[in-house]
Amino acid sequence: MTEADGQGRPTSDGDPDGRDPDGRDHVRRIPDIISLVKDSYGELRPAERRVADVVLDDVRFAVDASNAVLAQRAQVSEPTVTRFCRAIGCEGVRDFKLKLAQSLVVGALYLSKPPPTSSDNGMPFWNAVFGEARRALQEAERQLDPAQLVKAAEFIAKARQVTVFGLGGSSSALAQETQYRLFRYGITVSAQCDPYLMRMTASTLKPSDLVIAISATGRTREVIEAVELAKHYRANAIGVTAPDTDLVRACDVRLTVAVPEYPDTLKPTASRFAFLAAIDLMAVAAAYKLDGSARETVRRIKYNAQIHRTGKEMEPLGD
């Protein structure tokens, strides 16, 4: 799923080097001052709201502007700017600017407006969603290595069991999707989307087992550590991820795609289309390796699914 790293600070229950009593590093919480401004807006005086409007309209300007310039743009006095800062819980203008800069570092992408787009149907996001999906599939077709795909299919076909790791929104959903794709071919497969269950599952694996690790960035530490643990117990590993990452280096098979994201934070990430294509290719390639047994399992599933939908046995074909 990317938080800014905090520096150690003294606390009542830890030491000044930023470690908890049990020896683990802790992360300093950066106050989300932008949300505080928005949530406190209704409680501000009219002049203070004008300051809030200026800040929310252009956060980067508010970070860089002097107190006098900020007051001038909001058409208020400088003491009003100070009162505004204190009204939202800051010690003063300096403290407010520091916290605002920290929020900007963490969430600048989500404060920027998307580039203008046009569409004949009145939906400006229409072309962005479909266009990015098409581009992601084109990149997947261009970048995926057929030789690595064949090797992945061989690993899946001969595995005693397959476990799929994915953490976070898209990767968790893709891990579940991989499970749905593979079980219908008679493959013993499970998906784990909790970091503790990943480690516990990895601890149970054997040389005949296989891990499929999915990560959009390839930098998710919990997934990488779970794969490394599985490798310690001599299980094989397939990575569906971005190229040239720590996860790639931990895996035996690398199904990698790099897809630049469209700068609109409201739009779903395009890379999931590329990874879904990789998963589909991998699953179908494994099914062709299994051939007869895969076809029989699919036949059984279709047969019983049809009975469930209709509530009756399949009718025999007529003469």
Side-chain angles (χ1 to χ4, degrees):
M1 51 34 32
T2 58
E3 298 295 328
D5 292 333
Q7 299 297 319
R9 59 177 173 83
T11 64
S12 59
D13 57 354
D15 64 30
D17 293 326
R19 299 183 71 83
D20 292 325
D22 60 3
R24 293 180 301 177
D25 292 329
H26 65 249
V27 178
R28 183 179 63 182
R29 297 297 178 187
I30 298 175
D32 186 357
I33 198 68
I34 296 170
S35 290
L36 289 177
V37 173
K38 293 178 179 179
D39 294 343
S40 304
Y41 190 86
E43 303 168 7
L44 300 175
R45 296 184 177 93
E48 294 168 350
R49 290 184 186 178
R50 291 203 292 274
V51 180
D53 290 337
V54 169
V55 170
L56 295 175
D57 183 62
D58 192 342
V59 175
R60 193 172 297 279
F61 164 80
V63 169
D64 297 332
S66 66
N67 192 19
V69 171
L70 189 59
Q72 183 180 16
R73 177 171 288 196
Q75 297 181 341
V76 299
S77 66
E78 291 187 43
T80 298
V81 176
T82 302
R83 285 195 296 271
F84 158 78
C85 296
R86 290 173 178 166
I88 60 172
C90 296
E91 296 176 3
V93 177
R94 182 185 178 91
D95 182 42
F96 169 71
K97 292 287 190 70
L98 176 61
K99 292 174 179 176
L100 190 63
Q102 291 171 330
S103 289
L104 187 62
V105 168
V106 175
L109 176 64
Y110 299 92
L111 296 172
S112 60
K113 296 180 180 179
T117 58
S118 60
S119 177
D120 294 337
N121 58 18
M123 296 183 180
F125 51 83
W126 183 276
N127 291 336
V129 172
F130 281 108
E132 288 299 288
R134 286 190 293 267
R135 187 167 64 88
L137 291 175
Q138 290 170 352
E139 288 299 315
E141 185 174 12
R142 183 178 68 86
Q143 296 181 38
L144 287 171
D145 184 349
Q148 290 289 299
L149 188 68
V150 170
K151 190 174 179 181
E154 292 172 349
F155 276 3
I156 295 170
K158 70 180 183 181
R160 182 179 70 97
Q161 65 172 333
V162 178
T163 185
V164 191
F165 294 158
L167 190 62
S170 295
S171 295
S172 294
L174 290 171
Q176 293 286 345
E177 186 68 23
T178 304
Q179 178 183 352
Y180 300 150
R181 288 285 186 266
L182 294 180
F183 91 88
R184 58 197 297 271
Y185 300 129
I187 296 166
T188 302
V189 57
S190 63
Q192 303 296 346
C193 303
D194 176 272
Y196 292 103
L197 285 175
M198 288 180 194
R199 292 184 68 90
M200 289 189 286
T201 302
S203 302
T204 69
L205 299 180
K206 295 177 173 58
S208 56
D209 297 331
L210 173 67
V211 167
I212 299 174
I214 302 172
S215 173
T217 65
R219 298 190 301 268
T220 307
R221 179 48 50 189
E222 294 89 342
V223 175
I224 296 168
E225 290 176 351
V227 170
E228 290 173 344
L229 188 58
K231 292 289 296 175
H232 173 75
Y233 291 108
R234 299 171 59 198
N236 292 315
I238 298 171
V240 181
T241 185
D244 193 27
T245 59
D246 289 342
L247 180 56
V248 164
R249 288 182 277 274
C251 293
D252 303 289
V253 177
R254 296 87 183 252
L255 301 180
T256 61
V257 184
V259 180
E261 292 294 344
Y262 185 82
D264 183 350
T265 57
L266 298 182
K267 182 191 67 62
T269 56
S271 60
R272 67 195 179 98
F273 293 107
F275 292 143
L276 186 57
I279 290 165
D280 281 350
L281 285 167
M282 178 175 61
V284 174
Y288 272 84
K289 286 286 182 184
L290 294 167
D291 197 23
S293 63
R295 294 178 189 277
E296 171 59 16
T297 305
V298 172
R299 185 197 65 79
R300 293 184 187 185
I301 291 172
K302 294 293 185 182
Y303 179 83
N304 288 288
Q306 181 67 19
I307 291 174
H308 175 74
R309 284 194 293 265
T310 63
K312 59 183 180 179
E313 298 288 335
M314 297 287 287
E315 295 290 341
L317 296 175
D319 295 334

